[in-house]
Amino acid sequence: PTMKPVALMRWLVRLVSPPGALVLDPFTGSGTTGVAATMDQDGGFRFLGIDREPEYVTLAEARIKHIAGGRWKTPAENAAEAQTAGQRKQLALF
């Protein structure tokens, strides 16, 4: 486990990612990288986080959703929305 400030991760995301890039975090943990990518609206970053521990996935989803202010939906929310609309479309992961 490592603790990283969100400000540091925002700087790193902008440093290594071109605008509109997909930011991949294979060890998401509490979701700090996802929060950083989501906060930087000027970069238009997308985020894909992976973690094997369900409690970390739940925590990361909650943090990112809070920061996104309604602009972000979980995969389950995307699936429910698509089913309600009766559409068959590709679903976003994050």
Side-chain angles (χ1 to χ4, degrees):
T2 62
M3 294 181 64
K4 298 170 286 301
V6 173
L8 171 63
M9 294 312 297
R10 286 184 76 187
W11 179 79
L12 286 172
V13 166
R14 287 183 302 226
L15 178 68
V16 301
S17 305
L22 174 64
V23 177
L24 171 66
D25 185 357
F27 307 99
T28 298
S30 65
T32 302
T33 303
V35 168
T38 303
M39 287 176 78
D40 199 335
Q41 295 177 12
D42 294 336
F45 300 115
R46 296 169 295 138
F47 176 73
L48 174 60
I50 302 168
D51 206 289
R52 69 178 189 171
E53 305 297 331
E55 59 271 13
Y56 286 130
V57 172
T58 302
L59 174 61
E61 283 182 347
R63 287 185 71 204
I64 295 166
K65 193 169 192 172
H66 175 74
I67 292 298
R71 293 177 288 122
W72 183 85
K73 295 179 183 170
T74 66
E77 290 168 332
N78 277 326
E81 185 177 291
Q83 188 174 24
T84 301
Q87 300 173 344
R88 300 193 78 157
K89 62 181 182 179
Q90 184 172 349
L91 303 176
L93 292 175
F94 283 105

